[in-house]
Amino acid sequence: MARVRQERAEITRQAILDGAAVAFDRTGFGGTSLSDVVKRAGVTKGALYFHFPSKEALARTLIDEQFQVSKDVPALEDPGLQTVIDLTHQMAFGLRTNARIRAGIRLVIEFGSFTSPDPSPYNAWIETCRSCLTPAQERGDIMPSLDVQDLSTFLVGSFTGVQVTSHVRADREDLHARVVDLWNYLLPGIVPAPRIGLFDPAGSAACRAELGLPAPQTPVPVG
């Protein structure tokens, strides 16, 4: 019986997060009320408060969920530059298909731009990139003159700008193409010329298969 109650509670919790994600994605943190969340989730206010004591707690949970995209990185035996390229496409796919990820990213940008800025989500993504690019540099895939921490910070800022611009201009329909552009322009500046051909700006074959993305229509530039 206790297990049944736990399962029902988890179903309710997930419904609340789904409803909150849609609301935050559409109207942002300031424009969303708990009444909006309750209406979209189809639950009572009592149920909402049982799982989340405040709107801020809901928002923080959704912000944390974006990191599910990178949850498998620590277990990889050989992370590297292609890992980071694939992560940007996985995040792009999530932004196009998953309201929770869209809401989490919108909340990160809102919380990081206005009162009480919180750098922790950006710092977490920067650390994920650094953990992949450090071994890449050690095996010669990243120019030795580059500071990997600075490069990781630049990448996170660049992706953030690319996805916001794509959202405003094209409702993110062109986001994967813009991510390919990002890497096509960036790779010649960070990878030794003889090694550029090892990396696919459109994502690895495994990544494209996982996300259902088409293979590149033209040969990948090699610098």
Side-chain angles (χ1 to χ4, degrees):
M1 197 68 178
R3 181 176 179 181
V4 172
R5 286 197 298 270
Q6 290 175 349
E7 290 175 350
R8 288 176 179 171
E10 182 59 22
I11 290 171
T12 300
R13 182 178 182 275
Q14 295 303 320
I16 293 168
L17 287 170
D18 286 338
V22 173
F24 286 137
D25 180 37
R26 292 185 178 181
T27 58
F29 184 80
T32 297
S33 68
L34 290 179
S35 295
D36 296 329
V37 175
V38 165
K39 182 178 179 180
R40 293 188 183 280
V43 301
T44 65
K45 273 199 172 181
L48 187 152
Y49 281 118
F50 176 80
H51 291 280
F52 300 98
S54 66
K55 187 169 72 168
E56 289 80 3
L58 259 174
R60 293 295 175 184
T61 300
L62 288 169
I63 287 173
D64 290 342
E65 283 209 354
Q66 68 179 287
F67 299 107
Q68 290 299 306
V69 171
S70 62
K71 68 182 186 303
D72 295 328
V73 169
L76 294 177
E77 292 184 4
D78 197 25
L81 177 56
Q82 190 65 53
T83 308
V84 178
I85 295 172
D86 289 354
L87 280 174
T88 59
H89 283 287
Q90 289 163 356
M91 180 58 78
F93 182 80
L95 283 165
R96 295 186 62 235
T97 63
N98 189 320
R100 289 196 187 186
I101 291 179
R102 287 196 300 273
I105 292 295
R106 174 166 183 165
L107 290 165
V108 166
I109 293 171
E110 288 187 7
F111 283 17
S113 302
F114 303 111
T115 57
S116 301
D118 180 9
S120 58
Y122 293 103
N123 290 340
W125 276 116
I126 290 167
E127 175 56 25
T128 295
C129 290
R130 189 204 61 77
S131 70
C132 296
L133 297 181
T134 296
Q137 188 177 55
E138 290 171 351
R139 58 177 170 261
D141 292 337
I142 302 290
M143 293 178 180
S145 60
L146 298 179
D147 184 295
V148 171
Q149 180 71 22
D150 290 345
L151 175 58
S152 300
T153 303
F154 174 78
L155 280 171
V156 171
S158 297
F159 179 83
T160 300
V162 165
Q163 74 87 9
V164 169
T165 303
S166 175
H167 171 54
V168 172
R169 297 184 67 244
D171 197 27
R172 296 195 179 98
E173 289 298 320
D174 68 344
L175 183 51
H176 286 289
R178 301 289 75 79
V179 172
V180 172
D181 289 343
L182 171 67
W183 288 109
N184 273 330
Y185 287 117
L186 182 60
L187 289 178
I190 68 172
V191 179
R195 302 184 71 82
I196 291 180
L198 299 175
F199 306 103
D200 193 336
S204 65
C207 176
R208 293 196 303 270
E210 176 189 353
L211 303 180
L213 300 176
Q217 298 300 306
T218 56
V220 177
V222 294

